[in-house]
Amino acid sequence: LTTVVCSLEHDELSNLCQLKEEGGIACLKTVVLNFESLALVAPAVVSRATRAGLRLLTIWELARIGRAYPTRLTCPSSEDVSTFCYTSGTTGVPKGALITHSNVMAVANAALCSVF
């Protein structure tokens, strides 16, 4: 992932900074905070993220960028990744399982079939 959304609760940003500094998430470039303004974020936190090579945006800044640069909706194919789920590693090393749109639709269909 190149971009993640997080809060400042539970040291989420601090943990991301540490991982970035250690080279564990080299591809991460941008962190979107669920804050109204970066002015509400402690300067030391902003400074650490900047030193780690992370661009910080607020959710509101992201919305403004989206309005300024509208793009045409691209519909996903059934084999495109919809989301991912980290496994606990109970049967081996923890890993991210990729869930396609087809997987999501199959589960939704099964749920509907079991109800009706």
Side-chain angles (χ1 to χ4, degrees):
L1 296 173
T2 60
T3 304
V4 297
V5 178
C6 77
S7 70
L8 294 178
E9 297 175 15
H10 311 295
D11 295 323
E12 291 173 359
L13 181 55
S14 177
N15 292 337
L16 289 172
C17 287
Q18 181 176 347
L19 286 169
K20 181 72 173 176
E21 291 161 351
E22 295 170 351
I25 49 174
C27 59
L28 184 63
K29 296 178 181 164
T30 306
V31 176
V32 180
L33 298 172
N34 63 348
F35 266 65
E36 294 177 22
S37 169
L38 285 180
L40 300 173
V41 180
V45 172
V46 174
S47 179
R48 181 175 185 197
T50 302
R51 283 192 316 275
L54 295 173
R55 176 182 182 200
L56 292 182
L57 294 173
T58 67
I59 199 77
W60 298 108
E61 289 172 313
L62 188 63
R64 279 193 295 278
I65 292 168
R67 282 191 300 273
Y69 299 96
T71 59
R72 196 176 170 132
L73 178 64
T74 304
C75 293
S77 77
S78 62
E79 295 311 308
D80 285 337
V81 174
S82 172
T83 189
F84 58 94
C85 178
Y86 280 106
T87 67
S88 64
T90 54
T91 60
V93 178
K95 59 191 155 291
L98 302 179
I99 310 298
T100 65
H101 287 277
S102 180
N103 298 139
V104 172
M105 294 308 295
V107 170
N109 186 50
L112 285 173
C113 289
S114 69
V115 173
F116 295 106

